[in-house]
Amino acid sequence: MKKVFQILLFVMAFQMEVRVRASADTLQQPTGCLKSADSCAIHVLNSPFHLKQEELELHSAEGSTLMRLSQDQWRLVKGVLWVEEAPQVAVETPYATAKAAHGQYWLIDRGDKLVIRNINADLTVVLRDGKKLEVPGGFEFWVSGINSKGKNEYAMIQTVDMKDHLVLWNKLFKGTKEQFKTEVTELRENWKDLAERGGSLYEKIALRQIASIQESQRIEAEKKRQAQAERQKTRELMYKRAFDR
């Protein structure tokens, strides 16, 4: 609750103190807080935000709001966050928390849902309901709020939407056009077997689902068998009490 209250205060501060700027690119609350180790809120203004501090490297699109809660904990409040490298950092969102020991991934706020896109990271995602998911490189999925059963709604993992990704990536890429084209070519080469890996992944998911259904059916059948045995035992006991006098 304390962190949620902090977020609300920081967002209100952005709305009330828009004249306070640490640079032409961001509005920070408290002012200049990125230079310290304290909690910090960053609202990205008219151009993309880039941060590189030791092993940490983040990029965020204009209009995004981020919070650094501690040295090893960040939060995406809204917008787009490209985590290029953050080996010790967990990134929270309203729907899930993501962490990767190495590699890069994206968190894309779509309003009522969040797209989690793994490029090449060893990525683990923990949903708000506690469910833990491992997303392979080259795959993405969306997650939204808690449903009436107390569980997050989320989609099946699928291959990265390359058309959408290239648009977002190009906006946050710091290099030249030639460098961007080179990296896109390398990425496509690394992902050339993505469809095959996707088919294998879907097969494994389907097999797990089938096994889960079969196990549920086995447990239900066993419960019915035990209940029937108990009823039979009760009938025999009642019969014995009625006639064996």
Side-chain angles (χ1 to χ4, degrees):
M1 287 297 296
K2 183 178 179 181
K3 290 178 181 176
V4 173
F5 183 64
Q6 287 178 328
I7 292 170
L8 291 174
L9 286 178
F10 282 137
V11 172
M12 289 174 63
F14 289 145
Q15 296 172 343
M16 297 173 63
E17 299 185 39
V18 295
R19 64 186 181 278
V20 181
R21 299 188 179 191
S23 71
D25 299 330
T26 64
L27 172 64
Q28 297 176 29
Q29 183 69 23
T31 306
C33 57
L34 279 174
K35 296 178 182 179
S36 70
D38 298 330
S39 297
C40 185
I42 306 102
H43 184 64
V44 185
L45 297 173
N46 301 317
S47 60
F49 167 69
H50 305 283
L51 175 68
K52 185 171 178 59
Q53 293 179 340
E54 298 179 353
E55 294 183 286
L56 178 66
E57 189 163 3
L58 305 175
H59 313 271
S60 193
E62 57 187 84
S64 300
T65 301
L66 311 173
M67 287 192 65
R68 183 184 64 200
L69 304 174
S70 66
Q71 289 296 97
D72 58 1
Q73 192 173 19
W74 282 67
R75 183 177 180 89
L76 173 65
V77 179
K78 67 173 184 176
V80 176
L81 178 63
W82 168 18
V83 181
E84 188 166 3
E85 193 67 36
Q88 305 299 326
V89 174
V91 182
E92 297 180 0
T93 74
Y95 305 126
T97 297
K99 187 171 184 179
H102 63 82
Q104 55 180 305
Y105 61 93
W106 290 64
L107 301 173
I108 306 160
D109 172 30
R110 301 290 196 200
D112 62 341
K113 63 181 64 173
L114 176 80
V115 175
I116 300 175
R117 178 173 294 165
N118 188 9
I119 306 304
N120 59 4
D122 180 15
L123 180 63
T124 298
V125 178
V126 180
L127 306 187
R128 279 288 166 262
D129 63 14
K131 186 175 182 62
K132 186 176 180 180
L133 300 173
E134 293 184 0
V135 186
F139 290 84
E140 67 181 36
F141 76 103
W142 61 258
V143 57
S144 61
I146 301 291
N147 60 26
S148 59
K149 297 180 180 179
K151 301 293 184 181
N152 279 100
E153 298 283 353
Y154 65 94
M156 180 178 287
I157 292 172
Q158 62 181 21
T159 54
V160 166
D161 182 346
M162 197 63 178
K163 184 177 179 180
D164 178 72
H165 181 62
L166 289 179
V167 173
L168 294 176
W169 190 15
N170 187 44
K171 288 180 179 179
L172 295 184
F173 191 77
K174 294 177 66 178
T176 64
K177 289 184 179 180
E178 290 72 22
Q179 289 172 330
F180 182 69
K181 290 178 180 178
T182 299
E183 293 203 19
V184 169
T185 300
E186 290 177 355
L187 184 63
R188 281 178 169 155
E189 180 66 21
N190 291 336
W191 285 358
K192 63 183 180 182
D193 64 340
L194 213 56
E196 181 180 343
R197 286 194 284 133
S200 176
L201 177 65
Y202 299 146
E203 182 180 0
K204 290 179 181 178
I205 292 173
L207 289 174
R208 283 201 299 268
Q209 289 176 336
I210 291 171
S212 177
I213 292 171
Q214 290 176 337
E215 178 63 12
S216 296
Q217 291 174 339
R218 186 195 67 77
I219 292 173
E220 186 63 26
E222 178 62 19
K223 286 181 179 178
K224 289 181 179 179
R225 187 194 67 76
Q226 290 179 359
Q228 186 175 3
E230 286 295 325
R231 287 195 296 270
Q232 180 63 28
K233 185 177 180 179
T234 300
R235 284 196 295 267
E236 291 175 355
L237 182 60
M238 291 177 64
Y239 181 87
K240 186 175 181 180
R241 287 178 176 175
F243 295 99
D244 292 354
R245 293 181 178 176

